[in-house]
Amino acid sequence: MDDALARFSESISFDHRLYKHDIRGSIAHATMLCRQGLLTADELAAIERELKNIEARLDRREFPFRIELEDIHMHIEHALIEALGDIGRKLHTARSRNDQIATDLRLWVRDGLDQVDRRLLELQLAFLSRCDRDAGVIVPAYTHLQRAQPVLASHYWLAYIEKLERDRGRVADCRRRVNICPLGGAAVAGTSLPIDRRYTAELLGFETIAGNSIDISSDRDFAVESVFVLTMIGLHLSGWAEEWILWSTTEFGFLKLPHRYCTGSSIMPQKVNPDTLELTRGKSARVIGNLQSLLSLLKGLPLAYNRDLQEDKPPLFDSFDTILTCLELAAPIVRESELQAESISSRMDEGYLDATTLMEAWIQRGVPQRTAHHHVGALVAIAKKRGVPLSELTDAEFRQIDPSFDPSLRSSLSVQGAIDSYRSEGSSHPDHVAQQIHRWKLHLESCSMALASKSP
Ligand code: ARG
C-alpha cells in the first residue's frame, strides 16, 4: 500500500477508543463460535485470555499503534495472531469488519447514551434542588425578552426540568433502536457457517438481532439519531447558558455565578466572565455541525458497507464528548449559583407585570377581553406618565377608564396578587408549583434509585 494511502485511510487515530467494545464483541463472538462447534473449548479459552491480555495492554497504553494496520479491529486481531498463531486466525470466522464495526459502534453509543442519561438526571436534580433554595422568590417572566408576568423562580427551574425530561425520553427511545445486534450479518449476505446470532446478541446484552444482512452494514441511523438527541440537549443547554449569562450581568443583577466556573480578564481587574456558559453556548454549534456532517456523509450511499462510513466516528465521538462535558459542568453551576433575591425584588414594580391579571379580573366580571385589554392599556399609559405602578393609581383614575370600576379588582394587582390569582394547571400559582415540585421529587428519586441499582 502506498504510504500516502496508508495515512489517508487509517482510522486507528480515532477508532482506538473502541477497543473495549471491540474486545467485548470478539469474546462474545468467540463464545458463540465455540458453542456452535467452530472453536474448541481450549481455543476459546486461549482467545479469551489473550484478548484480555491485549485489553490490559491497551489500558496501560502499552500497545503501539501502526497506521499500516489501519483500524482497531486489525490491530487487535494482529496482536492476537502474533500471540496465538493459527488459533488467533480463527477468531474472524463468520465475521467481517463490516458487522464488527457496526457492533462496536452500537455498544459504544449504548454506553454513551447511558452516561448522557445519568448526566441529564443529575442536572434535573440540580434544578430541583434550587426549587427549595429559592422557594418564594418571584422573578419576571419574559416574552420577547420584555418583562411579561411575574412567576416563581422555581417555576423557571421546573421549566428546565421539563426540557431535560424530554431529552431523557429521546435518549431512552434512541437507545431502543441502538440496542440491536448486527453481528452475524458478516460482509453483506450472511454466512454459510452454522452461527447462532441470537446467542451472541444475548451475550452482548442486545435486545434482539438486526433482521437483514444487507441493511446491517449500511445502517448508521442510530448514529445520526443519537447525535440528533445530543444536538437537542446542546440547544437546551445553549438557551439556558444564554439566559444565565444575561441574568448574571450587572444590568439584570439576578444571578451570581460561582467564581470557580468563571474567568478573569488579563487587562480589566474587576471582570468575572461567564466563560463556561459562553462555551456551552458555543459548543452546541459543534454538535449541530456534527449532525450536519453525518447527514451529508450518509446521503446517497448505496446499500451495504462503503468506506465513507469510517468517517462517521469523529463527529459521533465529538458530539458525545462535547455534550457530556457541557452537562458535567452545568450541574454544579446550577447548584452553586446564587439568585440575587433582593436585587430582583427591588425592581419587580417595573414593567407592569400585573397588567395581565388585572385584565383577567375585569374579564371575570363580564367585561369582554378586548375591552378589558384596552382598559388596562389605557391605565398603563397613565401610570407610565406618572411613573408609578398600577397599584398606585387612584380609584378616580380607574373610574376615568371604566366608570363601573369596583375596587375589589385591586386584589389582582401587585406581583404577589398576580401570582396568587393564577389558577390554570401548570401555572405559576404557588400551589401548582408545589405540586410540580412534589411530582418531580417522586419521579426523579425513583429514576435515581433505578440508576443506582444498575452498574455505572
Ligand atoms: N475502519 C472501518 C470503519 O470504521 C472498519 C470497517 C472496514 N471494512 C472494510 N470492508 N474495509 O468503517
Side-chain angles (χ1 to χ4, degrees), residues 233-286:
I233 298 171
L235 293 187
H236 287 154
L237 291 178
S238 174
W240 159 73
E242 167 67 8
E243 188 150 86
W244 279 30
I245 289 168
L246 284 171
W247 281 26
S248 68
T249 57
T250 308
E251 284 68 17
F252 266 83
F254 281 13
L255 203 63
K256 213 170 113 204
L257 300 172
H259 279 195
R260 66 182 180 121
Y261 294 107
C262 296
T263 64
S265 151
S266 55
I267 184 169
M268 298 168 284
Q270 87 286 11
K271 291 290 294 283
V272 182
N273 294 328
D275 294 37
T276 316
L277 295 176
E278 292 169 280
L279 283 168
T280 298
R281 188 177 56 189
K283 281 179 191 282
S284 64
R286 294 165 66 121

Side-chain angles (χ1 to χ4, degrees), residues 350-369:
E350 294 168 20
Y352 303 97
L353 293 162
D354 47 1
T356 307
T357 41
L358 175 62
M359 175 193 77
E360 288 173 348
W362 246 306
I363 293 170
Q364 279 197 51
R365 284 164 177 77
V367 177
Q369 192 271 344

Side-chain angles (χ1 to χ4, degrees), residues 2 10 43 87 109 178 194 241 253 271-272 299 360 389 430 456:
D2 184 86
E10 66 85 22
E43 287 168 338
I87 296 177
V109 169
V178 168
K271 291 290 294 283
V272 182
K299 179 198 163 297
E360 288 173 348

Side-chain angles (χ1 to χ4, degrees), residues 11 15 70-71 73 97-98 101 220 305 307 309-310 312-313:
S11 56
D15 69 14
E70 240 179 71
D71 57 24
H73 324 296
R97 277 188 294 158
N98 300 350
I101 183 59
R220 293 293 183 274
Y305 186 80
R307 192 63 182 276
L309 291 176
Q310 180 165 293
D312 60 0
K313 282 163 235 27

Side-chain angles (χ1 to χ4, degrees), residues 382-403:
I382 297 171
K384 261 191 183 160
K385 208 175 274 169
R386 283 184 43 204
V388 295
L390 288 171
S391 57
E392 280 179 34
L393 294 179
T394 63
D395 285 359
E397 281 168 317
F398 273 94
R399 288 216 178 82
Q400 200 183 308
I401 301 301
D402 177 10

Side-chain angles (χ1 to χ4, degrees), residues 164-214:
L164 297 167
E165 185 71 7
R166 288 196 296 278
D167 288 330
R168 293 186 61 216
R170 273 186 284 271
V171 166
D173 196 38
C174 175
R175 192 188 193 280
R176 273 191 286 279
R177 277 181 295 278
V178 168
N179 201 21
I180 295 171
C181 191
L183 218 50
V188 63
T191 172
S192 55
L193 295 162
I195 60 170
D196 180 349
R197 292 192 56 205
R198 291 186 190 271
Y199 182 50
T200 323
E202 190 190 314
L203 291 173
L204 293 171
F206 283 115
E207 193 61 44
T208 183
I209 59 170
N212 178 299
S213 66
I214 303 176

